[in-house]
Amino acid sequence: MGYIDRIIDESETDFSAVKEQANKAGQLTTLKLDEYLLPGFIDLHVHAPQWPNAGVALDRPLNEWLDTYTFPLEAKYADVDFAKRVYDNLVTELVGNGTTTVLYFGTTHNQANLELAKACMNHNQRGFIGKVAMDNPDQTPDYYRDASAESAVADTETFIKQMMELNKTADIQQTPVITPRFVPSCTPASLKGLGRLARKYDLPVQSHCSESDWENGFALEHYHKRDAEVLDEYGLLTDKSVMAHGTLLNQSDLDTFKERGVAVAHCPISNVYFGNAVLPVSKLLKQNVKVGLGTDISGGYSPSLYQNIRQAVMSSRMLHDGVNSQLDPAQRGTENDAISARNGFYLATVGGAKSLHIKTGQIKAGYLADLQVVKSPMPSFNEETMDQIFEKIIYNASKDDVKQVFVQGRLAKG
């Protein structure tokens, strides 16, 4: 249930009969002349508990931003009522922006994480949700960390079982995700245990990888390896793994990602603030490394994947053309091709679907009916092609233009 059964054209002999049957059953949705049907968006990287901080302290270095602003906020989710209020609002906002599937980081608190899953269920959103594991006392505060590697792994396994139980009554299944925060916040023992759980339950894995000079440098200093190598050593790089950011991945890392089938969650807005570089999206796509799009709330201030598509295009142009005006034009840029609005749309739909192994992101028979009805945000003064209308939607649409959202055929907005 919830899959597209058939795409039918006006020229087909039974078109009128099928339309009339749907109308009689109260199942016919008729779009206005300036409304268009698009696949729902897939957000590959959201820190759900950070929603109250969206746009806060983005001028601070990553490690300072975590210690001063992020960890104190995430610690508050020990209060389940607080979690319930925030998550209900967050899921509503994301659905409102046309996002039908989200890969979420939760917190260390299982009860709060279950509230996130319930919010997804209540609002007909497909959630992939991780209990965050972070047990390294040298890199995490004493008021917000797992007590030990053993408890980090045991609590993760408990959460997996709780999610399985919750899914027994869910119309739209919610998926538990193995979630080591990143290499600096975890000990080798917790990384090893989480890798074992990923194999035992055949579950997705999410973390951060080569996000910043600081994170990249931590692994080199403490392990004498790149963080991709550390994660791979503990069985955390699989074809169900999604690694956020990747702005500093080198060719060896990319070779490993391709070999293992690892996906990259490109977070273009957040990367401007914390990535210390621009992800060369076109390079990854040419090498057949899976890439999708993420908002990275709250390192990314906007819950809109439309906004992130735009930033992805802008960042790619800046990477290609270069930004240092003191250099000669021939030396200023890079060989990485800029991406287009179409490429960005691919990341937010097909790229995300491939990364999560779900049959969605396209309007085709046999695919999940994850859809958004979008009103063209710009008036039309001349006759326009569909390509022109599409580009105007991608570059100008806001939440108010997303009129309806369906997930597995169920109305989530409108």
Side-chain angles (χ1 to χ4, degrees):
M1 186 177 177
Y3 288 84
I4 298 170
D5 180 60
R6 178 183 174 193
I7 307 293
I8 182 170
D9 188 80
E10 287 181 344
S11 62
E12 296 186 47
T13 55
D14 61 343
F15 176 82
S16 296
V18 171
K19 183 178 177 182
E20 182 58 28
Q21 183 181 4
N23 189 36
K24 287 181 177 178
Q27 298 173 329
L28 183 66
T29 297
T30 303
L31 305 191
K32 297 175 182 176
L33 288 176
D34 60 351
E35 291 180 341
Y36 299 88
L37 190 67
L38 299 176
F41 284 153
I42 299 159
D43 192 330
L44 287 184
H45 193 54
V46 171
H47 287 274
Q50 295 176 20
W51 176 229
N53 271 3
V56 172
L58 296 179
D59 58 333
R60 311 313 303 156
L62 177 60
N63 52 331
E64 181 183 330
W65 178 82
L66 287 168
D67 292 338
T68 307
Y69 301 94
T70 303
F71 291 153
L73 173 61
E74 291 193 16
K76 292 183 178 180
Y77 288 79
D79 180 347
V80 176
D81 289 333
F82 178 71
K84 198 177 296 188
R85 291 201 312 276
V86 173
Y87 291 156
D88 183 76
N89 181 265
L90 170 64
V91 175
T92 301
E93 183 71 20
L94 289 168
V95 169
N97 277 282
T99 302
T100 51
T101 302
V102 182
L103 179 54
Y104 286 110
F105 272 61
T107 62
T108 61
H109 315 100
N110 278 354
Q111 287 307 121
N113 297 329
L114 290 172
E115 290 302 326
L116 175 57
K118 291 174 185 176
C120 291
M121 291 165 63
N122 291 339
H123 295 288
N124 288 330
Q125 187 183 69
R126 184 181 302 103
F128 287 71
I129 300 166
K131 173 255 181 278
V132 171
M134 40 188 288
D135 68 311
N136 183 358
D138 294 333
Q139 292 294 327
T140 54
D142 56 5
Y143 62 84
Y144 181 54
R145 78 164 74 107
D146 292 298
S148 65
E150 291 76 19
S151 66
V153 174
D155 288 350
T156 297
E157 186 162 26
T158 297
F159 178 65
I160 293 167
K161 293 175 179 176
Q162 289 171 322
M163 286 282 280
M164 289 175 174
E165 190 64 30
L166 199 62
N167 274 330
K168 290 179 180 178
T169 58
D171 291 326
I172 296 173
Q173 297 291 291
Q174 309 297 314
T175 303
V177 181
I178 305 300
T179 309
R181 190 177 199 109
F182 56 1
V183 168
S185 64
C186 296
T187 62
S190 65
L191 293 173
K192 183 178 181 179
L194 293 170
R196 189 174 64 247
L197 285 183
R199 290 189 298 274
K200 178 179 178 180
Y201 291 97
D202 190 27
L203 286 174
V205 178
Q206 63 178 339
S207 190
H208 304 79
C209 191
S210 294
E211 175 183 4
S212 64
D213 292 322
W214 170 73
E215 181 200 319
N216 207 46
F218 181 93
L220 292 171
E221 180 183 347
H222 290 82
Y223 290 88
H224 308 293
K225 296 177 181 178
R226 298 183 59 77
D227 54 355
E229 293 177 284
V230 176
L231 293 166
D232 192 36
E233 180 180 331
Y234 292 113
L236 293 163
L237 296 187
T238 74
D239 72 338
K240 290 189 174 182
S241 295
V242 178
M243 296 291 123
H245 306 293
T247 51
L248 298 177
L249 293 168
N250 66 15
Q251 188 57 53
S252 175
D253 299 328
L254 293 179
D255 291 342
T256 300
F257 276 30
K258 181 180 178 180
E259 185 178 341
R260 303 281 186 269
V262 177
V264 175
H266 178 35
C267 306
I269 291 179
S270 173
N271 288 347
V272 170
Y273 296 100
F274 298 124
N276 297 137
V278 175
L279 181 75
V281 174
S282 59
K283 176 182 177 180
L284 271 63
L285 293 175
K286 284 177 182 177
Q287 295 188 23
N288 293 315
V289 175
K290 291 182 291 189
V291 188
L293 206 59
T295 56
D296 192 24
I297 292 167
S298 68
Y301 57 80
S302 173
S304 166
L305 281 177
Y306 284 103
Q307 288 269 51
N308 279 272
I309 290 172
R310 295 161 201 159
Q311 185 61 55
V313 175
M314 288 189 284
S315 292
S316 76
R317 292 190 69 87
M318 295 174 80
L319 179 65
H320 176 73
D321 293 343
V323 296
N324 187 350
S325 63
Q326 302 306 305
L327 295 177
D328 182 87
Q331 280 78 48
R332 192 180 301 149
T334 72
E335 294 180 354
N336 296 289
D337 294 333
I339 65 170
S340 66
R342 280 173 172 261
N343 300 142
F345 184 73
Y346 168 91
L347 298 181
T349 53
V350 178
K354 288 183 175 180
S355 300
L356 294 176
H357 297 271
I358 47 178
K359 202 168 185 183
T360 187
Q362 301 179 64
I363 303 177
K364 286 184 176 180
Y367 281 67
L368 287 161
D370 299 341
L371 307 164
Q372 52 177 318
V373 175
V374 185
K375 179 183 181 296
S376 181
M378 299 287 289
S380 180
F381 298 101
N382 302 293
E383 190 169 324
E384 295 178 319
T385 66
M386 289 305 297
D387 283 345
Q388 290 172 324
I389 293 168
F390 169 77
E391 289 179 336
K392 288 169 74 170
I393 289 173
I394 295 301
Y395 282 114
N396 294 285
S398 68
K399 184 175 75 169
D400 290 342
D401 299 308
V402 180
K403 298 304 180 183
Q404 289 181 300
V405 177
F406 299 86
V407 184
Q408 289 183 206
R410 292 174 172 81
L411 187 66
K413 177 183 180 179

